[in-house]
Every structure is written in structure tokens, then in C-alpha cells.
Amino acid sequence: MNTKLLSHGLDPFDDPLDRILAEIALNIQLPPSLHEQVKGRYEAVRRHLAGKTAFNDQIEHFYPQGSMAIDATISTRGTDDENDLDVVTQLGGQFRHLPPLPILCELEAALSDYPVQRVLRQTRCVTLFYADKMHLDVTPALRVYGTPDRESEIAHAKGPRPSVEDRLVDMNAYGFASWYRDRTPVELRLAKAFHRRWLEEAGRIRADADVDEVPDQCDFIVKNTATLALQLIKRFRNICYADYAGRIPPSVMLSYYAGLAAQPNMTLTAMVIRLASWIIGEIE
């Protein structure tokens, strides 16, 4: 999908308060080296599955979901799951008539020899655990044909034996990512300012050098204020729940509110307040 470019947006480094938030946001971006590592592992898993007999010509679509799909990933140096990767593998043919548990078991068997520390079948996915603490979830899905945006059903089965609780669950991660990107197009001034600041931090340009444009493909680009605000609130959530053993507010819920609250040409401070107020209003 092509990203829409807007000719407006604000430079957060021009405002003293915005600059503080922008510097925090800069420090929690996923480094290009980690981003490339994630992309490499994504491709390696896809090739591994496609090479298995049970999955040969059975993968209709392979795509990321979650934070990676909407460019809202944050990096906190291994203290949370934000730089992990969630992948959907849309299956067809022989898988369309299998019950949920056999679908998950087939996927587990295909990944059982994958070179990671551990392969674990979960209730709705199979998780690959890497030595560097990253994990990658592969969720099998069946396309619901005749619906928009790749609406699908995913297998839900706890195992190890079939249960009356096993079922298919409706899901549209692809449609959600498309909706979010449409709601949060690029704000060009902000993107240019962050790209310039990133290069300065990396020592790749002088502080007084000029950056005329944001390349179509570059090692770092922040697209809009809404996503920056989302990243800051996700980081705040991680700090608040650092010592909590239970479930925490899920990133997809925060992303949904960011998509609803998105409004170009706002200051970063105003966008953070707008998003937080939107969430508080829903809770109340």
C-alpha cells in the first residue's frame, strides 16, 4: 500500500515542551539494525514453512500484524515484547476443512525443527523463542471469502486433546493495519525533522547540515504525530506495569484509539493529551 504524503505537519523540535517528548520518542525507536534483523527472521520463517510438504502451495498470504504492521514498534532494550513480531499465515486448500487443533499441530510440526531455542504451540499461534530473547508468533488463519480486507478466522484450541471449547475466531489484522495507515498519513515536516535528528544522533550529518527530503526508502522515518503519541503512551504503560504479573492493556487497543484520535497538524503534546483523554473517556 502506498503511503499518502501530506505537505504539512509540525516540527516537534521547534517547541520546548514538544522537544522533551520528541527526544523521549527518539530514544524508544527500534534501531535500524534490529528492524533489519526482524525483517530477516520474518523472511526466513516464511521460506521455512513454504519448504515443508504440508505447506507447499498452501500459504495464500503471509503478513505481519500488530505494531510492526503499523510502524508503531518501540524498543526498550529487551524489557518488554514490543520489538517481537506477530505474523499471520493465511492457509488454504487442505487446511480449510481441518478442526482448530490439527491446524495448530500441523504448524507446530512444520516449525519443530526450526533453529531457535524453543518452539511452543500456544492457544492461537506457534511461538518461536530466539536466544536473544526475541520471539516470533505465527498465527494460522483461514480467509473468509467475500469479505473485505482479508477478514479471516484463526484457530483457537488449548490442547493437547480436542475440546468442545475449540473454535474458529474472527480476525482482521490486515484490515486494521490498513485502516490505521489511512487514518494516520505522513506529516512531512515531522518526518523530515525526525529523520534529520536521527541522522544527527547517529553522527551521519553535521548538526547544521541541510536535509532536503525524506527518501522513499531510508533507515528511519517517523510518519506522524498520532503514532509518536501512541509510542509514548505504550512506553508509559510498560513502565506502569513493569512489576505487574497479569495482563496489561493490549497494544492493539491503544493503536485503535490512536487511529480514532489522529488529527494532522497538532503539536505532539496536544496529541498525547488528546489520545490519553480519548482513552480515559472510553473507560469512564
Side-chain angles (χ1 to χ4, degrees):
M1 175 178 292
N2 293 326
T3 302
K4 293 180 291 186
L5 285 178
L6 300 183
S7 60
H8 48 334
L10 303 175
D11 183 345
F13 297 99
D14 287 342
D15 179 85
L17 182 54
D18 271 17
R19 175 180 284 272
I20 294 173
L21 293 177
E23 291 289 353
I24 295 172
L26 193 69
N27 286 325
I28 62 175
Q29 299 302 318
L30 190 67
S33 58
L34 280 181
H35 193 271
E36 287 302 312
Q37 180 190 69
V38 170
K39 285 169 56 180
R41 288 176 174 177
Y42 170 86
E43 281 297 321
V45 171
R46 182 190 62 79
R47 289 194 301 268
H48 179 89
L49 273 179
K52 293 293 183 177
T53 302
F55 289 85
N56 186 28
D57 297 328
Q58 294 297 311
I59 299 177
E60 297 178 341
H61 195 197
F62 197 81
Y63 58 94
Q65 64 171 325
S67 296
M68 285 286 178
I70 62 172
D71 293 324
T73 304
I74 62 175
S75 176
T76 50
R77 295 170 178 80
T79 60
D80 58 58
D81 295 335
E82 286 302 326
N83 63 331
D84 297 325
L85 180 59
D86 296 322
V87 173
V88 175
T89 179
Q90 179 183 306
L91 304 174
Q94 65 191 45
F95 290 94
R96 298 195 65 83
H97 305 292
L98 291 179
L101 185 58
I103 292 175
L104 288 165
C105 289
E106 284 275 13
L107 182 60
E108 179 188 22
L111 293 170
S112 61
D113 60 344
Y114 198 76
V116 288
Q117 280 195 331
R118 186 185 182 198
V119 177
L120 178 65
R121 174 170 50 81
Q122 312 266 29
T123 304
R124 296 185 179 182
C125 67
V126 174
T127 302
L128 305 177
F129 293 88
Y130 293 81
D132 58 6
K133 308 301 182 184
M134 176 188 165
H135 72 257
L136 189 152
D137 292 338
V138 184
T139 300
L142 302 173
R143 177 79 162 90
V144 179
Y145 294 112
T147 59
D149 296 324
R150 297 191 178 276
E151 181 179 345
S152 303
E153 292 179 325
I154 58 175
H156 176 101
K158 188 173 183 179
R161 291 177 295 276
S163 165
V164 293
E165 300 295 323
D166 295 354
R167 62 190 186 278
L168 294 174
V169 179
D170 189 57
M171 180 276 297
N172 197 343
Y174 186 89
F176 176 79
S178 298
W179 172 84
Y180 183 89
R181 288 192 295 267
D182 286 342
R183 294 280 304 174
T184 58
V186 171
E187 296 175 49
L188 192 54
R189 289 191 190 120
L190 178 141
K192 289 174 66 174
F194 256 81
H195 184 59
R196 173 191 174 91
R197 188 73 181 88
W198 181 261
L199 294 178
E200 290 174 1
E201 286 286 311
R204 290 172 55 186
I205 63 171
R206 301 190 313 274
D208 60 347
D210 191 21
V211 179
D212 291 334
E213 61 181 331
V214 176
D216 290 335
Q217 297 293 330
C218 62
D219 59 356
F220 177 80
I221 179 171
V222 172
K223 291 183 172 64
N224 50 70
T225 309
T227 300
L228 275 184
L230 169 61
Q231 291 177 314
L232 289 168
I233 286 179
K234 284 165 63 175
R235 179 57 180 148
F236 178 72
R237 172 206 60 185
N238 293 348
I239 294 171
C240 289
Y241 287 89
D243 299 320
Y244 183 67
R247 298 189 66 182
I248 68 174
S251 292
V252 65
M253 181 190 73
L254 301 179
S255 301
Y256 170 67
Y257 289 127
L260 290 177
Q263 184 173 309
N265 297 319
M266 293 188 72
T267 66
L268 179 54
T269 304
M271 190 67 240
V272 170
I273 293 172
R274 177 178 169 85
L275 176 52
S277 299
W278 203 296
I279 295 170
I280 292 170
E282 287 293 303
I283 293 173
E284 290 178 344

